[in-house]
């Protein structure tokens, strides 16, 4: 359901079966991730230090320096239902929830007022450290100059990524949208996708 890549493995977050990883062409469950409380993993994030974070319906977890999963304090979040994660610059962790966006400050979080009460369905930091967020059918761009919004009118936004050519790719319930300066293109089953509603998006190392 959720994907993340580290130097050694592809990580997979599931809807109740914990975290799995593919390493050396072998898939196995991460035994350090407790599944006694089988909440859905909404998003995985590999931070700049190489540790993986997991956003779940019941809170936030991350790997410690030994690779074991630990709970993260969520004081200050607009909601405990965490939907998305992104790291805009090294150490700057943003969390999307069912009731808004927040930035990690020390061990706590600080809500982002311009997007308070908006359910965050997608979150991504691009190569230029610009943060992109999806809520409903609207795409938000957060930068040092402020917040911009664009109504795509292509259904609910569920995934965002970027490539080396500067394109922003947005997965929606109606297909895949490519944003490039001066043009917006939509891709779906007709263009070769397996589904008109992509749930996750990752860029390959080649861009």
């Amino acid at each position: 359901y959720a994907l993340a890549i580290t130097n050694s493995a592809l990580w997979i977050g599931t809807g109740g079966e914990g975290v799995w990883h593919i390493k050396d062409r072998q898939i196995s469950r991460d035994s350090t991730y407790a599944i006694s409380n089988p909440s859905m993993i909404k998003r995985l994030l590999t931070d700049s230090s190489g540790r993986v974070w997991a956003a779940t319906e019941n809170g936030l977890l991350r790997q410690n320096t030994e690779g074991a999963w630990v709970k993260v304090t969520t004081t200050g979040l607009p909601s405990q239902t965490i939907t998305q994660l992104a790291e805009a610059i090294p150490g700057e962790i943003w969390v999307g929830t069912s009731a808004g966006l927040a930035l990690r400050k020390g061990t706590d979080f600080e809500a982002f007022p311009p997007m308070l009460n908006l359910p965050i369905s997608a979150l991504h930091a691009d190569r230029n450290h610009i943060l992109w967020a999806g809520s409903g059918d609207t795409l938000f761009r957060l930068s040092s100059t402020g917040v911009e919004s664009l109504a795509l009118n292509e259904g609910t936004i569920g995934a965002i990524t970027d490539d080396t050519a500067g394109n922003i790719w947005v997965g929606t319930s109606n297909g895949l949208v490519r944003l490039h300066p001066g043009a917006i293109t939509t891709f779906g089953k007709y263009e070769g996708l397996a589904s008109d509603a992509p749930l996750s998006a990752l860029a390959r190392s080649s861009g």
Side-chain angles (χ1 to χ4, degrees), residues 49-106:
S49 68
R51 291 187 291 183
V52 181
W53 298 61
T56 81
E57 294 177 314
N58 295 320
L60 181 63
L61 297 96
R62 73 170 178 184
Q63 292 176 317
N64 60 21
T65 54
E66 287 75 40
W69 292 89
V70 295
K71 293 203 74 172
V72 175
T73 300
T74 54
T75 303
L77 286 181
S79 168
Q80 293 302 304
T81 301
I82 300 171
T83 56
Q84 293 293 322
L85 293 166
E87 184 181 38
I89 60 176
E92 186 179 277
I93 302 296
W94 288 85
V95 174
T97 76
S98 59
L101 188 62
L103 174 63
R104 193 164 192 246
K105 298 278 191 176

Side-chain angles (χ1 to χ4, degrees), residues 171-191:
T172 77
S173 55
N174 290 338
L176 184 64
V177 178
R178 182 181 63 189
L179 281 78
H180 190 74
I184 296 177
T185 307
T186 302
F187 299 83
K189 283 186 176 180
Y190 184 79
E191 289 77 21

Side-chain angles (χ1 to χ4, degrees), residues 10-190:
L10 171 66
W11 296 80
I12 305 167
T14 69
E17 294 297 324
V19 175
W20 295 66
H21 52 75
I22 300 175
K23 184 176 182 180
D24 299 327
R25 299 187 178 183
Q26 300 292 322
I27 184 168
S28 58
R29 178 185 287 166
D30 187 339
S31 59
T32 68
Y33 186 95
I35 59 171
S36 56
N37 184 15
S39 59
M40 178 177 287
I41 297 172
K42 294 284 192 176
R43 175 84 160 122
L44 294 176
L45 168 71
T46 304
D47 67 18
S48 54
S49 68
R51 291 187 291 183
V52 181
W53 298 61
T56 81
E57 294 177 314
N58 295 320
L60 181 63
L61 297 96
R62 73 170 178 184
Q63 292 176 317
N64 60 21
T65 54
E66 287 75 40
W69 292 89
V70 295
K71 293 203 74 172
V72 175
T73 300
T74 54
T75 303
L77 286 181
S79 168
Q80 293 302 304
T81 301
I82 300 171
T83 56
Q84 293 293 322
L85 293 166
E87 184 181 38
I89 60 176
E92 186 179 277
I93 302 296
W94 288 85
V95 174
T97 76
S98 59
L101 188 62
L103 174 63
R104 193 164 192 246
K105 298 278 191 176
T107 58
D108 296 330
F109 289 89
E110 183 178 297
F112 184 62
M115 299 186 68
L116 197 59
N117 298 320
L118 291 178
I120 307 301
S121 56
L123 197 61
H124 175 69
D126 68 20
R127 287 165 171 77
N128 296 315
H129 308 298
I130 301 298
L131 191 68
W132 299 80
S135 181
D137 67 351
T138 302
L139 182 67
F140 294 87
R141 181 181 184 271
L142 287 68
S143 69
S144 59
T145 60
V147 180
E148 303 171 82
S149 63
L150 173 65
L152 297 181
N153 298 316
E154 290 288 349
T156 301
I157 296 171
I160 307 170
T161 193
D162 68 309
D163 62 27
T164 54
N167 297 302
I168 299 296
W169 296 83
V170 184
T172 77
S173 55
N174 290 338
L176 184 64
V177 178
R178 182 181 63 189
L179 281 78
H180 190 74
I184 296 177
T185 307
T186 302
F187 299 83
K189 283 186 176 180
Y190 184 79

